[in-house]
Amino acid sequence: MLTQQKQDLRNWKPIIKAFEAVLGKNGVVQRREELITYECDGLTGYRQRPAVVVLPRTTEQVAEVVKICNQYSIPFIARGSGTGLSGGALPLENSVLIVTSLMRQILNIDLENQRTVVQPGVINSWVTQAVSGAGFYYAPDPSSQIICSIGGNIAENSGGVHCLKYGVTTNHVLGLKIVTPEGEIVDLGGQIPEMPGYDLTGVFVGSEGTLGIATEITLRILKSAESICVLLADFTSIEAAGATVSDIISAGIIPGGMEMMDNFSINAVEDVVATNCYPRDATAILLIEIDGLEVEVAGNKQRVTEICKKNGARNVTSATDPETRLKLWKGRKAAFAAAGHLSPDYYVQDGVIPRTQLPYVLHEIKTLSEQYGYRVANVFHAGDGNLHPLILYDNSVPGALEQVEEMGGKILKLCVQVGGSISGEHGIGEEKKCYMPQMFSQVDLETMQWLRQVFNPKGLANPEKIFPTPRTCGEAANTSALKQFEGVERF
């Protein structure tokens, strides 16, 4: 049943006219049927229509829109492509959604200094496409890179397959032009890797839209490796695959990427994508990418193969040509989509654990799966311990969403208990804010709030995200996850 929305007593006519004066009529969306498109991000279990959606194209337009919101004390939320999985772009009731999807220009490419300047609506994969002809690429590569935007990557500090060796988004951002929550245009960082003073760029990346809106981003681009090799090793046990991950790192080898998929995920991918690369009877597979100088790759390939076989790998295959490498990665990149073909709905988590805890945590997830009666497909960045368990369920069954949320909450708590984190790359958003006290003390959380208040004194920029609030969390958060959001429609 849908919750009844509060009555909006605000007079929106002068506000909409002010927006139209800045953006034109085509830059303002207000019809109820059109607003449905924007009522959720990738966390589709929670939905709320904004009052108005605006579509700026320039930094100056964003600044003017934010000034109007500040003048009328209207909460605003920035949104990119809407692929986020933690509800970070979930609108509030009677809020303005500032959508940056039309800000999609690559403003400058400086190959000599290995950097590029882009607007926030630029799609992640477009950056590499723009520079690949000259032998460069952009390293952060979320699985959704063909549709997710750089602005969203900045907000959530997104990672990807290659974050093990090359780091997450923050490691590739040199500078930012931002619009503060009061509508001022400010430059953070710069054109060089190391800037004096406070690292405000590092503070902003991963702040999930609570400190302002990035409108121009200066990114570091890397020279493509001389040689790349992808190995696929299949195992008869999760424990053996997990031990292999630790042994490879212990041997001083840092692969460009190292991913693990369990048997359920393997078969889901083969059913949907049909790569014909993944052995269906394997309990787990490892995808290991080695890059660098040709002689270095050849040596590491041999060492990695030996480590895999020492830990019981049945087969280790490799590919060096681009077409076959792409085919090996295709299944991993399509794992989330494949899970969508197995079940009407799925709920994905994003915890991080120490690599040595992989076998134990996967065993506990299996136990929770049996306890709750929901199947779980495990796909994760094995190299840095970033788990992505996908809990399969049917949202049309009454109470199913609440049950999988509770199960997902227990997985997050388990990650913290073994020395990990409640998020690796999806962010906290609306979904995980009640679990922040699992990781941080009250003093920690208050300190973070002080920083937020410096940038966002009125609390208008993406309010009620990241930090727990009594209205939505309360003591119940210690035993069950996110039972009900006030004013948010549940589906």
Side-chain angles (χ1 to χ4, degrees), residues 338-358:
H341 285 265
L342 294 177
S343 176
D345 302 280
Y346 67 79
Y347 183 74
V348 61
Q349 274 299 359
D350 170 46
V352 181
I353 61 172
R355 286 184 294 267
T356 54
Q357 296 293 328
L358 278 172

Side-chain angles (χ1 to χ4, degrees), residues 169-460:
T169 297
T170 190
N171 302 112
H172 299 270
V173 178
L174 297 171
L176 297 164
K177 187 180 293 294
I178 72 164
V179 173
T180 72
E182 294 178 321
E184 300 298 325
I185 299 172
V186 177
D187 289 308
L188 306 180
Q191 299 289 316
I192 57 176
E194 301 297 333
M195 295 287 289
Y198 295 123
D199 181 17
L200 296 180
T201 303
V203 169
F204 191 92
V205 177
S207 61
E208 303 190 28
T210 62
L211 305 183
I213 302 174
T215 58
E216 292 183 16
I217 303 108
T218 302
L219 300 172
R220 177 188 287 109
I221 53 177
L222 303 180
K223 191 70 177 172
S224 300
E226 179 181 288
S227 178
I228 302 174
C229 177
V230 177
L231 294 91
L232 187 153
D234 67 274
F235 297 85
T236 57
S237 76
I238 289 284
E239 290 78 8
T244 302
V245 171
S246 295
D247 288 351
I248 290 172
I249 301 296
S250 297
I253 302 169
I254 306 297
M258 188 154 45
E259 303 287 298
M260 187 187 295
M261 296 171 60
D262 67 5
N263 181 265
F264 195 11
S265 301
I266 292 167
N267 281 281
V269 165
E270 287 297 339
D271 286 343
V272 174
V273 183
T275 68
N276 296 317
C277 296
Y278 302 169
R280 287 181 176 269
D281 61 339
T283 301
I285 62 168
L286 281 180
L287 283 166
I288 307 159
E289 182 170 289
I290 305 166
D291 61 0
L293 298 175
E294 188 171 348
V295 63
E296 176 188 15
V297 170
N300 284 337
K301 173 186 173 182
Q302 181 177 348
R303 294 171 66 196
V304 168
T305 300
E306 291 171 354
I307 292 170
C308 289
K309 290 185 175 179
K310 180 181 176 181
N311 282 289
R314 298 184 306 177
N315 300 287
V316 181
T317 60
S318 65
T320 54
D321 63 286
E323 184 178 348
T324 308
R325 287 192 282 110
L326 183 64
K327 188 176 181 181
L328 287 176
W329 279 120
K330 183 179 180 181
R332 168 60 186 91
K333 291 283 188 179
F336 283 16
H341 285 265
L342 294 177
S343 176
D345 302 280
Y346 67 79
Y347 183 74
V348 61
Q349 274 299 359
D350 170 46
V352 181
I353 61 172
R355 286 184 294 267
T356 54
Q357 296 293 328
L358 278 172
Y360 170 72
V361 171
L362 289 173
H363 178 269
E364 291 300 302
I365 291 175
K366 181 180 179 182
T367 301
L368 287 170
S369 173
E370 294 169 350
Q371 176 185 339
Y372 280 85
Y374 293 101
R375 298 177 297 168
V376 178
N378 286 290
V379 182
F380 48 93
H381 307 312
D384 60 348
N386 190 184
L387 306 179
H388 292 314
L390 291 90
I391 308 171
L392 308 182
Y393 74 105
D394 185 348
N395 202 19
S396 66
V397 177
L401 177 57
E402 287 79 5
Q403 286 183 327
V404 298
E405 285 178 334
E406 183 175 296
M407 180 178 166
K410 289 186 177 181
I411 292 173
L412 292 181
K413 291 179 182 180
L414 174 64
C415 291
V416 175
Q417 288 166 9
V418 299
S421 167
I422 60 175
S423 179
E425 56 177 341
H426 292 176
I428 302 302
E430 187 78 60
E431 177 200 20
K432 299 177 185 174
K433 65 183 183 181
C434 294
Y435 296 102
M436 288 288 275
Q438 298 290 325
M439 284 193 67
F440 301 104
S441 70
Q442 189 62 35
V443 174
D444 294 334
L445 294 173
E446 288 176 357
T447 303
M448 295 181 204
Q449 289 277 32
W450 291 341
L451 176 62
R452 180 176 184 169
Q453 289 166 10
V454 169
F455 279 83
N456 186 13
K458 286 188 178 181
L460 297 179

Side-chain angles (χ1 to χ4, degrees), residues 157-168:
N157 193 21
S158 301
V161 166
H162 292 93
C163 65
L164 170 62
K165 184 174 184 178
Y166 295 104
V168 292

